[in-house]
Amino acid sequence: MIILIQPSSKSELVSYPIRDIVQEAMKLEKLGTKMIYLNIGDPAPFGFRPPQHVLDAASEALTQNYSGYAPSSGDPELRQTIADFEKVSPENVFVTSGLSEGIDFLFQAMVDPGRNIILPVPTYPLYLTKERINYGTVDFYDCDSNFEPDLESLRKNINKYTKAILVINPNNPTGAVYSRKTLQGILDIAGEHKLPIISDDVYDQMVFDGDITPMRTLCKDVPVVCGNSLSKNYIYPGARVGYLAFHGEWGTMPDVIQRLSNQRLSVNWEMQRAYIAAIKGNHDHIHKFNAELKLRRDVLVKRVNQIEGLSVAPPKGAFYSFIKVESNKWKNDVEFVKGLLKEGVVVVPGSGFAPTMKGNYFRLVFLPKPEQLESAFDKIEKFMKK
Ligand SMILES: Cc1ncc(COP(=O)(O)O)c(C=O)c1O
C-alpha cells in the first residue's frame, strides 16, 4: 500500500542551493564527465584535517563515561571554557549541534510571522531558509563593491518588523573581512534602533590578509550574540558542535534558548570534550591553514583577473569567493553554472546567496590545491571563450 502524504507548506520553503547543484553534477559524472567540486565549504575532502590533539581528545572521550545525554545547555566544562574565551558568564553560553542549530534556535526564539532578522546581501543561505520557514519577511542590507556592509542601506532597510541585525564576518560567500569602522558603525545603528546583533563568527580565525576585529571585543551597550563552532576554525565540521554566547543585556532570551535546548535533550558529548581541547590547546594549525589559503587565494585572484568577463573582490578570510560574470552571454547565473557543469566545474549560482543583487555571480570555494585550482580555471577560461 502506498500512502500519499502531502508535504507540509513549511517543508516546501526549504532550499539549499549549495547541495542542490550536486544532484546535477552527479548526473553528468555518471555519464562520464570528470568533475572538480568547488561548491562545498568543507576542508576534509581537500586533505585538511582537525588538529591531532582535538582528534585525541575525541577518542579519549570515547573511552570514558560520555555516552549518556549531556546537560542540554552543554558540558559544564565546555561552557566555562567558551565563557572564558568570550568573556561572558557560563549561564549565557549554550552549546548547539553546530552553529546551524544555534541559528535555528535564534530564529525560533526571535522571529514571529511577519518579523525578520535583517540579513546582509549576499548572505549564507541557511539564514534565508530560517527566515522563510518561520514565515518571517526577508529584508536585506546591501554591501559595497568590496562586500563591506553599506551602513546607509542598513539604516534605510531597518523597519518596525526588524528584530535583530545579522553580521557574518569573515563572510560566506564573499571572503570579506570587515573593518573596525564598519563594525562600529553597525553597532551604532543597532544602538540607535535598540536592536540586538547576531554575530556569525564561524570563520573568525581564518584571516590571511590583514587583521580581524571580533565583534565580541567591540560590543559594550548593544546586546550581541556571538555564534561559533568547531567546524571551520578547527577544521572539524563533522563533529557538529557549536555555540551561542550572549553578551550584554538580553532579558529572558537566554531562558528561551534554554527551553529550546531542553526539547532536543543534548549535543554529542564526546565531541563537546573535543571542543574543550580545541579552545584550550595550541592553535598552530590555523597559521598553517591560513598560509595554505593565502596561496590558493592568490591563484584565484590572478586567474580571475586574466579571464575576460570575470571580476572578483579579493577574499581576505574564509575560503570563498563571490565572482562576478561581467559578460552578458548568459541569461542568468543558473544558466552560467549549468553550462560550466558540462565543462566539469561545480560552483554555486550567486542568486542562492543574493536574491536581490543585480548582475550574475557565482560562489567558488578555493580549498583545492593550487594546481587543481589552476586546472579548474583553465576549464572556466575555455568556457568563457566559447
Ligand atoms: C557563515 C556560516 N555560518 C554557519 C555555518 C554552519 O556551521 P556549522 O557547521 O557550525 O553548523 C556555516 C557553514 O558553512 C557558515 O558558512
Side-chain angles (χ1 to χ4, degrees):
M1 182 172 65
I2 296 173
I3 304 177
L4 286 177
I5 300 174
Q6 190 63 29
S8 71
S9 58
K10 211 175 227 201
S11 68
E12 292 186 346
L13 298 172
V14 176
S15 80
Y16 198 64
I18 301 167
R19 299 224 171 192
D20 292 347
I21 198 76
V22 175
Q23 313 296 331
E24 300 270 341
M26 279 172 19
K27 274 189 222 153
L28 286 170
E29 206 163 30
K30 268 199 191 138
L31 296 174
T33 313
K34 200 167 172 295
M35 290 291 174
I36 305 181
Y37 286 89
L38 304 175
N39 58 317
I40 293 215
D42 181 355
F46 303 100
F48 296 105
R49 297 277 292 143
Q52 191 56 47
H53 62 274
V54 177
L55 293 171
D56 290 346
S59 13
E60 197 188 321
L62 284 169
T63 66
Q64 296 172 353
N65 193 7
Y66 292 109
S67 50
Y69 291 122
S72 54
S73 48
D75 174 286
E77 193 182 335
L78 176 57
R79 285 180 94 192
Q80 184 63 58
T81 306
I82 295 166
D84 294 343
F85 172 74
E86 292 279 346
K87 302 203 170 36
V88 297
S89 77
E91 298 75 57
N92 288 328
V93 172
F94 296 90
V95 179
T96 54
S97 179
L99 180 55
S100 303
E101 189 185 49
I103 294 168
D104 183 48
F105 285 176
L106 290 173
F107 276 82
Q108 285 192 54
M110 285 195 230
V111 179
D112 273 327
R115 304 287 185 268
N116 73 83
I117 291 170
I118 190 165
L119 310 177
V121 68
T123 195
Y124 175 54
L126 181 64
Y127 289 102
L128 268 173
T129 298
K130 293 294 167 194
E131 199 97 89
R132 290 188 184 123
I133 67 173
N134 286 289
Y135 300 108
T137 44
V138 183
D139 281 340
F140 294 108
Y141 61 93
D142 298 323
C143 292
D144 67 16
S145 54
N146 286 318
F147 299 123
E148 185 91 9
D150 174 343
L151 298 181
E152 271 324 297
S153 166
L154 174 60
R155 215 183 280 279
K156 218 171 58 203
N157 287 298
I158 288 173
N159 55 42
K160 63 179 180 185
Y161 304 113
T162 311
K163 300 294 294 264
I165 300 169
L166 172 70
V167 176
I168 309 172
N169 181 39
N171 187 272
N172 177 6
T174 66
V177 179
Y178 303 160
S179 71
R180 187 189 178 98
K181 191 165 160 234
T182 299
L183 294 171
Q184 193 56 61
I186 296 173
L187 279 162
D188 292 345
I189 294 171
E192 283 162 34
H193 291 271
K194 298 198 167 28
L195 289 172
I197 289 176
I198 299 170
S199 182
D200 180 326
D201 301 338
V202 283
Y203 300 99
D204 66 347
Q205 296 180 43
M206 223 172 268
V207 177
F208 41 79
D209 201 344
D211 296 322
I212 182 165
T213 311
M215 190 63 103
R216 64 181 169 271
T217 62
L218 291 181
C219 54
K220 290 193 185 87
D221 306 327
V222 173
V224 172
V225 57
C226 292
N228 217 321
S229 87
L230 194 54
S231 300
K232 312 288 176 169
N233 288 323
Y234 301 97
I235 323 179
Y236 207 165
R240 309 309 304 134
V241 193
Y243 69 80
L244 297 175
F246 289 86
H247 295 250
E249 291 301 320
W250 277 85
T252 57
M253 192 50 69
D255 304 331
V256 178
I257 301 295
Q258 176 67 63
R259 235 177 21 239
L260 294 170
S261 311
N262 289 346
Q263 57 169 357
R264 60 79 167 111
L265 306 183
S266 162
V267 173
N268 179 310
W269 206 339
E270 287 103 354
M271 291 303 169
Q272 295 192 57
R273 301 301 298 173
Y275 204 175
I276 299 171
I279 298 174
K280 287 188 172 166
N282 80 60
H283 280 65
D284 296 348
H285 75 283
I286 200 71
H287 306 298
K288 288 190 201 131
F289 193 27
N290 284 338
E292 293 288 342
L293 290 176
K294 191 165 195 286
L295 277 179
R296 289 155 173 76
R297 190 281 311 262
D298 291 345
V299 169
L300 164 99
V301 172
K302 179 193 77 182
R303 292 303 303 263
V304 169
N305 288 340
Q306 284 167 351
I307 299 176
E308 212 185 304
L310 294 183
S311 70
V312 72
K316 295 178 173 171
F319 35 67
Y320 306 101
S321 55
F322 206 55
I323 301 176
K324 186 165 190 197
V325 183
E326 306 278 1
S327 158
N328 50 16
K329 252 194 253 174
W330 294 273
K331 200 168 70 208
N332 54 38
D333 59 336
V334 176
E335 193 177 89
F336 177 90
V337 167
K338 287 195 172 161
L340 193 53
L341 268 186
K342 294 197 185 112
E343 301 294 323
V345 181
V346 191
V347 294
V348 190
S351 50
F353 306 84
T356 58
M357 247 168 97
K358 290 205 177 67
N360 292 334
Y361 290 82
F362 62 95
R363 190 191 75 167
L364 180 147
V365 170
F366 54 88
L367 282 166
K369 290 200 174 76
E371 57 274 23
Q372 287 169 320
L373 270 181
E374 293 275 10
S375 81
F377 273 104
D378 290 343
K379 291 183 176 185
I380 295 173
E381 188 161 25
K382 192 170 135 219
F383 174 63
M384 296 291 296
K385 281 189 181 149
K386 257 188 186 170

